[in-house]
Amino acid sequence: MRTIDDLDVAGRRVLVRADLNVPLQDGAITDDGRIRASLPTIEALRTRGAKVIVCAHLGRPKGQVKPEFSLAPVARRLGELLGADVTFASDVVGGSARAAADGLADGGVALLENLRFEPGETSKDDAERGAFADRLAALAEIYVGDGFGAVHRRHASVYDVPRRLPHAAGGLIATEVDVLKRLTEDVERPYAVALGGSKVSDKLGVIDSLLGKADRILIGGGMVFTFLKAQGHEVGRSLLEEDQLDTVRDYLRRAGEAGVEFVLPVDIVAAADFAADADHAVVAADAIPADRLGLDIGPESGKLFAARLADARTVFWNGPMGVFEMEPYSHGTRAVAQGLIDSGAFTVVGGGDSAAAVRRLGFDEAAFSHISTGGGASLEYLEGKTLPGLQALED
């Protein structure tokens, strides 16, 4: 896979597909981690005299122009972080975009409006998607793929545009791929995986794959209640995927046969309601009251998980252990994050929620070996799937 070091970009228009899908609240960015992760590639291109045209998506406007999904706040923040003016195009491939691209000086930066305002970006119809890719590619002379969080999508800006222009991987994608290879090729053992988040169904493929690769798998978050139910325990009003119970039982059986250790919580923080100020208490994992819902792993589980990470040499973590946004239910996630740090292992934090938790809970990002910008992409890579965005860059 070529990188930007292999390209002559001086004086040329370079379209950079970045991942700027940041969380917004009332129009304000609440976590700019993905913007900051995009800076090194943009800065490297600027320094070498490229005319940088950045494109990205935000949310899921489904091919419609929706002001609440505008990238305008992102353009402002990108300019602040770069310490330079960023021209913002009010459309994606229309007159404003063309004027922004044509008006760039060497080292200048423009950001196009939300790619997903255009139906062609995400269309499953090859002709419609290709027609949009033609218009997007016409804005530039070179393509750089740097939006790792989108490489598992067969979208125009990810898959079709690099097939139309000379292309290379940006620094972020190159780093992400190198890190993921360390999780799949010649892994230093013991290899521990901590999985959380809300749904088992989101992690089916990666759990299936890890049963043949990891030494131990720690399960927390909302998905744990399907595991507890599969073992015959009461889970009250906790999140539960009834249709996955047989699959989970099969995972537990196969793990036992393969010698893979499944680590489940021994206690749970169970609350009367889904609210920070709700009455809550720590209960045994096999004794959740029928009228309560679990919102975090308990303190003993936090200690157990940290202990099972302590001797690991490689750790991959995807998904928070509880509703970390609410302080009473943040302690399990904090314990796992600290466990990664204390292990001294090669540690990879994968997924937007996990990365946001690290920042929200005040951890130093540098304390982890790598914080991935793409949860879904990371999981699909670990499953062994072909990622369209990476395939396009390798062609």
Side-chain angles (χ1 to χ4, degrees):
M1 185 184 295
R2 286 182 300 176
T3 69
I4 56 175
D5 293 335
D6 301 314
L7 299 175
D8 177 11
V9 299
R12 305 180 77 185
R13 298 189 309 279
V14 179
L15 182 70
V16 178
R17 198 340 176 157
D19 180 6
L20 305 178
N21 188 26
V22 295
L24 296 174
Q25 185 172 347
D26 300 323
I29 297 168
T30 58
D31 183 352
D32 65 1
R34 282 178 168 160
I35 303 175
R36 289 186 286 112
S38 299
L39 294 179
T41 292
I42 295 172
E43 285 280 27
L45 291 169
R46 288 184 66 216
T47 300
R48 292 167 56 190
K51 302 173 181 181
V52 184
I53 305 161
V54 183
C55 63
H57 75 276
L58 179 65
R60 295 182 177 178
K62 298 183 179 180
Q64 300 177 43
V65 176
K66 296 184 177 181
E68 65 269 28
F69 291 115
S70 174
L71 282 171
V74 174
R76 289 192 292 272
R77 183 58 179 152
L78 179 60
E80 292 170 358
L81 292 170
L82 288 173
D85 291 335
V86 172
T87 302
F88 180 62
S90 59
D91 55 30
V92 185
V93 290
S96 180
R98 289 192 299 273
D102 292 342
L104 285 175
D106 293 355
V109 180
L111 175 63
L112 308 180
E113 184 54 285
N114 192 339
L115 286 164
R116 292 187 183 174
F117 283 179
E118 292 282 345
E121 166 67 0
T122 58
S123 176
K124 290 182 169 52
D125 180 271
D126 290 347
E128 182 181 16
R129 204 177 62 247
F132 171 65
D134 287 340
R135 298 179 67 193
L136 188 58
L139 297 174
E141 300 160 86
I142 295 171
Y143 173 91
V144 170
D146 208 39
F148 181 74
V151 293
H152 59 315
R153 307 295 188 191
R154 196 182 180 96
H155 291 172
S157 65
V158 175
Y159 179 75
D160 299 277
V161 174
R163 298 163 74 90
R164 288 160 166 75
L165 292 172
H167 53 266
L172 179 60
I173 277 188
T175 298
E176 294 273 12
V177 171
D178 286 344
V179 166
L180 288 169
K181 284 182 178 178
R182 289 189 62 175
L183 297 180
T184 54
E185 303 172 10
D186 299 321
V187 181
E188 190 175 356
R189 298 184 180 278
Y191 177 19
V193 177
L195 296 176
S198 59
K199 295 181 179 181
V200 175
S201 54
D202 291 340
K203 307 287 197 303
L204 289 176
V206 75
I207 294 174
D208 192 81
S209 175
L210 289 169
L211 283 174
K213 297 171 183 172
D215 296 301
R216 64 185 69 116
I217 301 175
L218 289 60
I219 302 290
M223 64 188 288
V224 78
F225 302 107
T226 303
F227 279 84
L228 294 175
K229 184 71 172 182
Q231 293 183 321
H233 303 313
E234 171 65 59
V235 297
R237 293 163 44 226
S238 306
L239 187 65
L240 176 65
E241 290 183 278
E242 294 268 7
D243 61 335
Q244 300 300 334
L245 288 172
D246 286 342
T247 300
V248 167
R249 291 188 188 102
D250 184 58
Y251 285 156
L252 294 171
R253 177 189 60 78
R254 289 169 53 200
E257 293 174 352
V260 177
E261 180 186 6
F262 254 103
V263 185
L264 299 178
V266 294
D267 57 353
I268 294 291
V269 181
D273 292 294
F274 188 85
D277 59 356
D279 181 58
H280 60 275
V282 177
V283 301
D286 60 359
I288 299 172
D291 62 346
R292 296 215 165 200
L293 65 160
L295 296 180
D296 193 14
I297 62 172
E300 292 305 314
S301 300
K303 294 175 184 176
L304 170 65
F305 282 22
R308 302 312 291 139
L309 295 172
D311 69 338
R313 303 316 308 145
T314 303
V315 183
F316 174 66
W317 170 33
N318 180 284
M321 296 294 109
V323 187
F324 72 90
E325 298 90 343
M326 302 180 190
E327 195 281 333
Y329 320 119
S330 65
H331 303 289
T333 301
R334 183 181 295 279
V336 167
Q338 190 63 53
L340 262 73
I341 294 171
D342 293 343
S343 72
F346 176 69
T347 54
V348 179
V349 180
D353 286 342
S354 304
V358 163
R359 291 187 279 268
R360 187 182 182 112
L361 297 177
F363 288 97
D364 180 1
E365 293 182 52
F368 304 89
S369 304
H370 181 69
I371 296 181
S372 177
T373 56
S378 296
L379 292 176
E380 291 198 14
Y381 189 100
L382 294 180
E383 288 174 38
K385 290 184 176 180
T386 297
L387 306 187
L390 296 185
Q391 181 185 34
L393 291 174
E394 289 167 352
D395 288 346

